[in-house]
Amino acid sequence: SRACLIIRCFESRNVSALVAAYSVYVRPVVEYCSEIWNPSLIKDINVLESVQRRFTKRLPGMRDLTYHQRLVALGLESLEMRRLRADLVFLYKIVFGHVQINLCDLFVLNFSHNLRGHRFKLNLPPCHSAVWFNYFSNRVINVWNALPSDETDFTSLRRFTKSLMSKFLVRYCKLNFI
């Protein structure tokens, strides 16, 4: 409803102003605490993505473009991609002690000196239910362990966030917009 109100109430039809309003008033609501409640079913991912899909389609000059073309034209990312990036950033904060969560309570460090990948790999604990498998500490491990060591910068949080490449992360998104 907030996205619809932005389209209806703003007199300006300036696309960049409308996207900025969307980024300030709608996206924080949709992404709030996504590390905790991140949906795992495609139908639920589609429901969340439909908020941004409908908003971008109603912008001037965007009606005839596909969702992926609209995202590229507007300089936006899919909400699923943003949630995946937020998961990885939160895991970085846990691993490097930026938040007061004990790493050993959620993860098992991989101390093997494998020559492939980065040196901060984590072991995946055995999962016996779908609910546990989609829990934060399990759903993010495969992506974290697969981060390319030559492109990922672990020296600081800012550098790590900038080094997360969308072309790599898109492989781990359930919805494919391309």
Side-chain angles (χ1 to χ4, degrees):
S1 63
R2 284 185 184 200
C4 290
L5 284 173
I6 289 172
I7 297 290
R8 232 179 341 166
C9 295
F10 276 67
E11 290 182 18
S12 171
R13 291 291 127 208
N14 183 348
V15 173
S16 61
L18 294 171
V19 170
Y22 168 81
S23 297
V24 169
Y25 294 112
V26 178
R27 221 168 42 192
V29 175
V30 177
E31 293 177 344
Y32 180 72
C33 287
S34 66
E35 295 84 1
I36 306 300
W37 61 261
N38 196 347
S40 60
L41 299 176
I42 292 178
K43 67 176 185 145
D44 296 332
I45 294 169
N46 271 326
V47 168
L48 277 177
E49 206 69 47
S50 70
V51 173
Q52 185 164 285
R53 189 178 289 122
R54 267 184 267 137
F55 176 79
T56 58
K57 190 167 192 131
R58 294 179 70 188
L59 293 173
M62 299 290 162
R63 179 164 298 283
D64 296 329
L65 301 176
T66 66
Y67 180 52
H68 177 69
Q69 290 170 334
R70 291 192 305 263
L71 291 178
V72 170
L74 298 170
L76 296 173
E77 287 183 318
S78 71
L79 296 175
E80 182 183 15
M81 177 75 72
R82 290 180 57 82
R83 286 192 306 275
L84 179 59
R85 182 172 279 123
D87 279 352
L88 290 171
V89 168
F90 189 62
L91 181 54
Y92 178 93
K93 290 177 181 180
I94 292 171
V95 169
F96 292 98
H98 294 283
V99 292
Q100 296 298 320
I101 295 176
N102 189 2
L103 177 67
C104 298
D105 290 344
L106 293 174
F107 303 102
V108 178
L109 291 173
N110 185 348
F111 291 108
S112 68
H113 297 290
N114 190 351
L115 296 176
R116 295 184 181 174
H118 56 84
R119 59 185 177 169
F120 305 106
K121 290 193 175 197
L122 303 169
N123 284 336
L124 183 64
C127 302
H128 302 293
S129 71
V131 172
W132 182 248
F133 182 75
N134 293 313
Y135 186 65
F136 171 77
S137 62
N138 290 328
R139 73 171 179 259
V140 75
I141 288 179
N142 289 334
V143 183
W144 175 266
N145 288 342
L147 287 172
S149 60
D150 56 337
E151 295 178 16
T152 309
D153 189 353
F154 291 98
T155 57
S156 72
L157 179 59
R158 190 179 89 239
R159 288 182 178 184
F160 175 76
T161 305
K162 289 179 91 172
S163 70
L164 291 176
M165 304 298 289
S166 295
K167 64 182 178 185
F168 168 76
L169 296 179
V170 76
R171 289 186 264 173
Y172 295 96
C173 290
K174 293 181 180 180
L175 299 180
N176 192 357
F177 301 111
I178 299 172

